[in-house]
Amino acid sequence: MFKALGKGTGTGIIFVSQGLKPRSLGSICSYSYRSRSPAIDQAETLPLSHIPPYRPRHDEPIETIRARLLYQSRKRGMLENGLLLSTFAAKFLDLMTETELKDYDRLINLPSNDWDIYYWAAGVKPIPSEFDTPTMRKFIAHVQNSDRESRFQQPDLYPE
């Protein structure tokens, strides 16, 4: 749970639990580290942010689906999944059937936590039955990397 100070001041939110404190510079707000302070007791409690529910897209052209999934595979916000999903997408996305594309779409967009996808693929957590699909099995094989491919960076968007 996070706590906020300065609510309504136009200077942004201070996440006290992480020790961040804004410095107002006109209309720009930057954050700096701050040690614990008695002001924490006066903080207001904020609700956690809401993640919108996954909604399948109907009547989307297959090339648009591929382009969207390629982008979403690269922009995960988590380096491990960004590397694994982007290399998987570069290798298999153009060969996937419409059913496989829908499975892959659900896999990367339905779980609200990217760590779940990583743990399932790495075998740390069991895969829920709703995600145990042939596409997930292909992704697991890709993660196991039996060919020992180098995956230190995301593949180029437009290979030569």
Side-chain angles (χ1 to χ4, degrees):
M1 180 157 307
F2 294 108
K3 296 185 176 198
L5 298 174
K7 186 176 178 183
T9 62
T11 59
I13 295 174
I14 306 167
F15 291 105
V16 176
S17 63
Q18 295 181 1
L20 297 176
K21 178 181 177 183
R23 293 186 312 252
S24 183
L25 303 172
S27 62
I28 300 172
C29 180
S30 63
Y31 292 89
S32 64
Y33 180 78
R34 163 174 85 101
S35 63
R36 294 183 183 168
S37 114
I40 293 173
D41 296 334
Q42 301 168 3
E44 298 176 28
T45 302
L46 294 178
L48 295 176
S49 64
H50 173 71
I51 298 173
Y54 168 76
R55 291 192 180 106
R57 300 172 187 218
H58 303 288
D59 301 325
E60 187 176 28
I62 199 150
E63 289 309 313
T64 305
I65 295 170
R66 283 194 173 97
R68 177 175 55 80
L69 292 176
L70 178 63
Y71 176 82
Q72 290 173 338
S73 296
R74 297 175 62 87
K75 305 295 182 188
R76 300 308 302 174
M78 184 179 142
L79 179 62
E80 295 85 352
N81 278 359
L83 289 171
L84 294 173
L85 291 168
S86 67
T87 54
F88 178 79
K91 192 172 189 178
F92 296 109
L93 205 60
D94 287 338
L95 306 173
M96 287 184 184
T97 65
E98 190 169 350
T99 303
E100 291 172 323
L101 288 171
K102 287 180 183 179
D103 285 344
Y104 186 64
D105 189 5
R106 288 185 72 252
L107 172 65
I108 68 172
N109 289 308
L110 189 57
S112 63
N113 186 348
D114 261 13
W115 281 107
D116 288 338
I117 298 169
Y118 181 78
Y119 288 144
W120 299 335
V124 175
K125 288 185 176 180
I127 304 165
S129 59
E130 66 183 303
F131 296 108
D132 196 2
T133 64
T135 304
M136 181 62 175
R137 294 293 169 186
K138 190 184 286 188
F139 179 60
I140 290 171
H142 177 75
V143 170
Q144 291 173 345
N145 197 13
S146 61
D147 296 334
R148 311 293 286 166
E149 297 173 330
S150 173
R151 297 180 184 154
F152 296 110
Q153 65 183 21
Q154 292 187 357
D156 292 333
L157 270 176
Y158 306 105
E160 296 175 14

